[in-house]
Amino acid sequence: MKKILLALTAVAAMTGSASAADLGARPYVKAPMAAPVANWTGFYIFGGGGGGLWNADSNVNSTGVVGPFGAFGPAGTALTRDQRLGGSGWFGTVGIGYDWQVNPTWVIGAFADGQFGDIRGSLSDPFFGTEGREKLRTSYAAGARLGYLVAPNVLSYVNAGYSGSEWSGTTQSSIFTGGATVGQTTTASFRRDGWFIGGGVENNLNIFGISAPGWFMKTEYRSTFYNRISLPTTFAAGNTFGGAPGALTGDAVTFKPWTQTISTSLVYRFNWAGPVVAKY
């Protein structure tokens, strides 16, 4: 019996030594860390600027009013062929929004913004041979956006929604060389409603090596389509047509604008605390 106990003790000692040697030979393996996850849910504000242009389909119609030259036919009678007008310029923009990050790669949101600037071009009345300067004073929008995270701190997105706009009136002068430079006719200021579609990219400033938690930059393209309006022309004071100031001329210029803008803005996200790394 004594021999058997000694044999078992020797085997146990050998097994324990081997196990210890095995444990000592194994390298230490660190638990894997979770990939950084950025939280895009929350409110944000932004402000910036950009450039834009507008184009407008236009023609001249009769208003059915009897003027100094008589009536130009029933209201709505086309007096000229269609033409394409245009303008360009710069603007500033400010806005506010809220985003929801619905999963690791998709973000949805709602926003509202306004643009204030000087995007101007020509509004002409070829029936009377006159032209004036038309200006897009302000525009404003409310819509939704859908974004995809190409990186934890970079969001690509598309957006769409409602847009309104405010346009200046014009004082029109003769377009003919040597013609009268005094105002001949006028058109009133107006507003138009429509819709927009666009898209862009928003990214944290740290991709440029700038340490500014919560600060982002976004660059966006937007195309906006507005409803047509008919602008009756009136005689300006001192006109050479002989019309009474403020009286209707009998024609109206139609205007159906389409705007395109590109803007870059700084964005501040109030909730930004990312990227967040899981701890063990």
Side-chain angles (χ1 to χ4, degrees):
M1 178 62 70
K2 184 176 181 180
K3 292 181 178 180
I4 294 173
L5 291 174
L6 290 173
L8 291 174
T9 302
V11 171
M14 292 175 61
T15 302
S17 298
S19 299
D22 288 344
L23 288 173
R26 292 175 184 173
Y28 171 72
V29 179
K30 186 178 180 180
M33 298 292 289
V37 177
N39 179 16
W40 287 75
T41 298
F43 284 100
Y44 62 91
I45 57 174
F46 62 91
L53 56 85
W54 58 259
N55 293 293
D57 294 328
S58 176
N59 69 353
V60 179
N61 292 335
S62 170
T63 60
V65 173
V66 177
F69 310 110
F72 301 128
T77 301
L79 303 178
T80 68
R81 295 181 298 178
D82 289 342
Q83 60 179 341
R84 177 64 60 88
L85 308 175
S88 61
W90 302 91
F91 64 90
T93 182
V94 294
I96 187 171
Y98 187 90
D99 283 331
W100 296 268
Q101 184 170 348
V102 296
N103 62 38
T105 55
W106 291 99
V107 175
I108 60 174
F111 68 94
D113 61 31
Q115 297 179 349
F116 316 89
D118 188 8
I119 304 179
R120 66 176 64 198
S122 296
L123 176 67
S124 63
D125 180 349
F127 188 73
F128 279 113
T130 59
E131 182 180 36
R133 302 298 288 172
E134 183 65 66
K135 176 181 176 181
L136 173 58
R137 291 172 171 167
T138 61
S139 60
Y140 35 90
R145 72 175 181 172
L146 172 66
Y148 178 80
L149 290 168
V150 298
N153 58 353
V154 180
L155 177 73
S156 62
Y157 64 89
V158 294
N159 56 16
Y162 160 82
S163 180
S165 59
E166 305 285 345
W167 300 75
S168 71
T170 68
T171 297
Q172 306 214 345
S173 301
S174 174
I175 62 176
F176 300 109
T177 302
T181 57
V182 298
Q184 301 294 308
T185 60
T186 64
T187 61
S189 59
F190 61 95
R191 67 177 301 274
R192 286 287 85 194
D193 296 316
W195 60 278
F196 74 89
I197 186 170
V201 175
E202 183 175 333
N203 57 267
N204 190 263
L205 293 183
N206 62 15
I207 72 171
F208 302 117
I210 302 173
S211 179
W215 287 97
F216 287 67
M217 181 186 78
K218 73 183 180 81
T219 298
E220 178 178 308
Y221 165 82
R222 188 177 295 182
S223 186
T224 309
F225 304 86
Y226 294 109
N227 300 326
R228 184 183 294 270
I229 189 172
S230 183
L231 302 169
T233 60
T234 58
F235 288 109
N239 70 87
T240 59
F241 294 130
L248 292 170
T249 66
D251 82 357
V253 180
T254 69
F255 191 76
K256 187 177 187 297
W258 162 41
T259 69
Q260 298 182 80
T261 58
I262 296 178
S263 63
T264 297
S265 301
L266 281 176
V267 182
Y268 183 74
R269 307 188 71 86
F270 292 97
N271 68 302
W272 186 260
V276 178
V277 181
K279 297 182 179 180
Y280 294 88

